[in-house]
Amino acid sequence: MKVSPLAGKPAPESILANIPRLVTNYYALEPDPAQSTQKVAFGTSGHRGTSTEGSFNEKHILAITQAICLHRKQQGINGPLFIGIDTHALSEPAFASALEVLAANEVEVMIDNRDGFTPTPVVSHAILTYNRGRSSGLADGIVVTPSHNPPEDGGIKYDPPSGGPADATITKWIQDKANELIAGGLKDVRRISFAKAKSAATTHRHDYMGSYIGDLGSVIDFDAIRGAGLQLGVDPLGGAGVFYWDAIADHYKFYLTVVSEVVDATFRFMTVDWDGRIRMDCSSPYAMERLIGLKDEFDVAWACDPDHDRHGIVAGTTGLLNPNHYLAVAISYLFTHRPNWPANAAVGKTVVSSSMIDRVAAGIGRQLKEVPVGFKWFVDGLVSGSFGFGGEESAGASFLRRDGTVWTTDKDGIILGLLAAEMSAVTGKDPGELYQDLTSQYGEPAYERIDAPATPEQKKILAGLTSKDITASDLAGEKITSILTTAPSNNEPIGGVKVITEAGWFAARPSGTENVYKLYAESFKGADHLKRIQAEAQQIIERALKK
């Protein structure tokens, strides 16, 4: 992975997005249905693209929203639809387009009563709160966000009544119907003007902020935070939760420094990510340079990405935590400090998350549930309470309320940040120190993800590999103990392969957006052993791709 000379430095004027052009292209450019790159394509987190490349334009959003309306009718979903947006430049116009279609289809829509931004977990919370105790008239939702992607990008995702990411069956239906509508010239899309849509009898104001913040005490121990007198900090990274943090601190009466409340669609206040692009990735040391530089001012601090579904934790003692490290710490703390959680509530992780989580789960006597990549695999378990925690290596997680019932079924960076404050207050140690305690008990893993070149044909082969395609018997001096192409807990395809030894493993999955494959690797024997695993893993994959 070649690191840009701009990485970690303030964003120069020359790389800033041209916001007026971006918005103009949203309306002016029309996607070509014959071009695969300009079709609606739902990945693990909805449809994403950019207006300048014809991959996120008005026609896409009109068609996707009409498809969602048709899906709702088909499935008998007739409760309100909760909708939220983040601070990307394309989110506001996409919201307007979506509302025009929703109102024309007479969908009861809940928009923010402050005309503000709404984090992904807040929409999930709103859906679940409304649906609690109901068996009919259920609510669902839409979030307009491309997550931590660059400022040029736009995104939209659909949440069914379960409140979390829609499963592949739903997203494929919406995707295919939207592309059909675009190919048909949108003649079957119902639409009214934005002014009429906003004032329609079916469009309602909802207090997203007040409802979510007022309920946070059911999931976080604010008494402990308030009594500890910690120096706490948060950097919203100009995201959807930017005005939530002061309100949270005021409501629960504890001191919290908000590093910045600047909202700027160019995100010019960011330091540049590893590849020379602006990316609001709160797990990247390059993108998090501002908060890392303030480390000594706080006992613990955190940041969230633009839709606030991801977290980045900066400990006063150790700095920015690797997401895997914090997941392990959070699991260890929660399952030993939530006495009202179900005794059989399991630990949920994705197949590419650290094996430190496996060791922690075993140490605290909890069952481990390993699922494919994608937060949708945690939804049912969180709803039922059979999962106490669900987390993925890309810094996304959520967990149950203190009484053991569901909180959100989408990633919630807000509660993961507040949890860092709670555990510091309760234990007297920050998350960095708590992770060091875990390594003393379970060993210290070395973990890294790298990207390797792959053609579209090779990516297709990789996604369809079976254990028979891996001919190696050893990896980095150890016997291979298992080869996985499906996840252990639900037998669903992982979209690649995972090879495991006693002290290490690697997993390879094709990228959904670039001509690369992602190689995840970990060793409990140190950095040198990790390098051996990575080198041999690439050789193993190259041999398999040639078959």
Side-chain angles (χ1 to χ4, degrees):
M1 188 170 73
K2 186 178 180 181
V3 177
S4 167
L6 293 176
K9 297 178 182 178
E13 193 82 19
S14 60
I15 71 168
L16 298 182
N18 184 327
I19 302 302
R21 181 178 301 163
L22 199 65
V23 175
T24 298
N25 285 338
Y26 172 80
Y27 293 104
L29 297 186
E30 297 191 0
D32 181 354
Q35 295 289 325
S36 61
T37 57
Q38 296 183 23
K39 288 186 175 183
V40 173
F42 273 73
T44 56
S45 295
H47 173 75
R48 294 179 185 174
T50 179
S51 62
T52 56
E53 296 176 1
S55 53
F56 191 90
N57 304 85
E58 184 182 39
K59 280 194 172 183
H60 292 112
I61 305 308
L62 296 174
I64 289 169
T65 309
Q66 183 64 51
I68 289 171
C69 292
L70 294 171
H71 167 77
R72 298 180 96 244
K73 189 172 183 179
Q74 181 190 80
Q75 298 298 315
I77 302 169
N78 53 15
L81 183 143
F82 291 87
I83 187 168
I85 67 171
D86 77 353
T87 53
H88 277 79
L90 292 175
S91 293
E92 192 79 42
F95 164 76
S97 301
L99 190 61
E100 290 171 2
V101 175
L102 292 167
N105 283 271
E106 300 181 335
V107 174
E108 302 286 336
V109 183
M110 312 298 280
I111 66 174
D112 183 67
N113 66 343
R114 298 170 175 84
D115 288 322
F117 313 110
T118 309
T120 285
V122 175
V123 173
S124 178
H125 175 269
I127 295 168
L128 292 169
T129 299
Y130 183 87
N131 288 341
R132 188 175 297 127
R134 298 176 187 268
S135 58
S136 61
L138 298 179
D140 55 0
I142 291 173
V143 189
V144 185
T145 173
S147 190
H148 62 293
N149 279 25
E152 296 85 356
D153 285 9
I156 183 169
K157 55 187 179 181
Y158 172 67
D159 289 349
S162 61
D167 65 31
T169 302
I170 295 173
T171 56
K172 186 177 187 307
W173 192 93
I174 292 171
Q175 167 190 292
D176 292 348
K177 178 57 69 174
N179 284 322
E180 179 186 316
L181 291 166
I182 292 172
L186 301 186
K187 67 179 185 298
D188 293 325
V189 172
R190 301 178 65 183
R191 181 187 189 187
I192 61 176
S193 72
F194 182 57
K196 288 183 178 179
K198 206 166 184 183
S199 60
T202 52
T203 299
H204 310 281
R205 299 278 176 168
H206 179 69
D207 185 9
Y208 283 98
M209 183 184 289
S211 300
Y212 178 87
I213 291 174
D215 204 16
L216 273 172
S218 70
V219 71
I220 296 293
D221 184 355
F222 286 102
D223 289 338
I225 295 174
R226 190 164 44 247
L230 296 171
Q231 293 295 315
L232 304 173
V234 60
D235 190 343
L237 299 182
V242 63
F243 303 123
Y244 277 60
W245 293 106
D246 275 337
I248 291 170
D250 288 346
H251 186 91
Y252 291 101
K253 297 179 172 56
F254 68 97
Y255 184 74
L256 175 66
T257 298
V258 182
V259 170
S260 173
E261 289 188 338
V262 172
V263 175
D264 183 332
T266 66
F267 291 89
R268 66 179 66 232
F269 48 79
M270 291 295 299
T271 49
V272 179
D273 205 6
W274 67 272
D275 59 353
R277 300 191 70 188
I278 297 174
R279 187 180 290 104
M280 292 65 70
D281 183 354
C282 48
S283 65
S284 166
Y286 303 107
M288 284 280 282
E289 189 64 35
R290 177 167 70 181
L291 192 58
I292 293 171
L294 298 173
K295 174 180 75 72
D296 294 339
E297 296 186 20
F298 304 111
D299 295 302
V300 65
W302 57 90
C304 293
D305 68 336
D307 70 321
H308 271 45
D309 69 342
R310 297 172 189 246
H311 59 272
I313 309 299
V314 178
T317 56
T318 59
L320 180 67
L321 271 74
N322 178 291
N324 278 296
H325 298 177
Y326 185 61
L327 293 184
V329 168
I331 291 164
S332 177
Y333 174 83
L334 284 166
F335 282 92
T336 55
H337 289 81
R338 293 294 187 266
N340 293 323
W341 278 13
N344 61 349
V347 174
K349 61 162 267 192
T350 56
V351 292
V352 297
S353 298
S354 173
S355 291
M356 174 63 94
I357 294 171
D358 306 44
R359 298 186 180 197
V360 168
I364 58 178
R366 292 285 179 157
Q367 187 178 12
L368 181 76
K369 295 286 189 177
E370 193 169 358
V371 301
V373 172
F375 208 79
K376 63 187 177 184
W377 301 109
F378 300 124
V379 171
D380 290 345
L382 289 169
V383 168
S384 67
S386 62
F387 280 19
F389 181 97
E392 50 189 11
E393 56 80 33
S394 55
S398 190
F399 51 89
L400 299 177
R401 295 170 185 261
R402 294 160 73 186
D403 67 0
T405 60
V406 63
W407 167 251
T408 59
T409 47
D410 212 329
K411 301 184 288 286
D412 192 334
I414 297 174
I415 63 168
L416 268 294
L418 292 168
L419 180 67
E422 180 193 322
M423 66 174 69
S424 299
V426 170
T427 68
K429 296 181 178 181
D430 70 33
E433 293 172 308
L434 292 172
Y435 182 71
Q436 290 173 342
D437 290 346
L438 291 181
T439 62
S440 298
Q441 187 175 357
Y442 300 114
E444 185 166 3
Y447 178 104
E448 188 178 25
R449 194 200 95 185
I450 59 177
D451 294 341
T455 65
E457 294 77 17
Q458 289 174 324
K459 287 165 58 180
K460 187 175 181 180
I461 294 170
L462 177 56
L465 287 181
T466 69
S467 58
K468 294 179 181 178
D469 295 313
I470 305 300
T471 57
S473 59
D474 297 275
L475 175 66
E478 290 192 311
K479 182 177 176 57
I480 293 173
T481 56
S482 61
I483 300 171
L484 304 178
T485 55
T486 59
S489 84
N490 59 11
N491 208 34
E492 293 285 347
I494 64 175
V497 64
K498 182 175 182 179
V499 177
I500 305 168
T501 69
E502 183 178 349
W505 60 270
F506 79 83
R509 298 175 57 251
S511 168
T513 57
E514 300 175 89
N515 286 329
V516 299
Y517 71 85
K518 300 175 182 180
L519 181 66
Y520 309 80
E522 184 173 46
S523 169
F524 276 83
K525 289 186 174 181
D528 290 342
H529 189 243
L530 174 65
K531 296 299 181 187
R532 284 188 63 190
I533 290 177
Q534 291 171 322
E536 293 185 24
Q538 288 182 289
Q539 293 172 5
I540 291 170
I541 295 301
E542 285 171 11
R543 286 197 297 269
L545 293 179
K546 289 177 182 177
K547 293 193 169 210

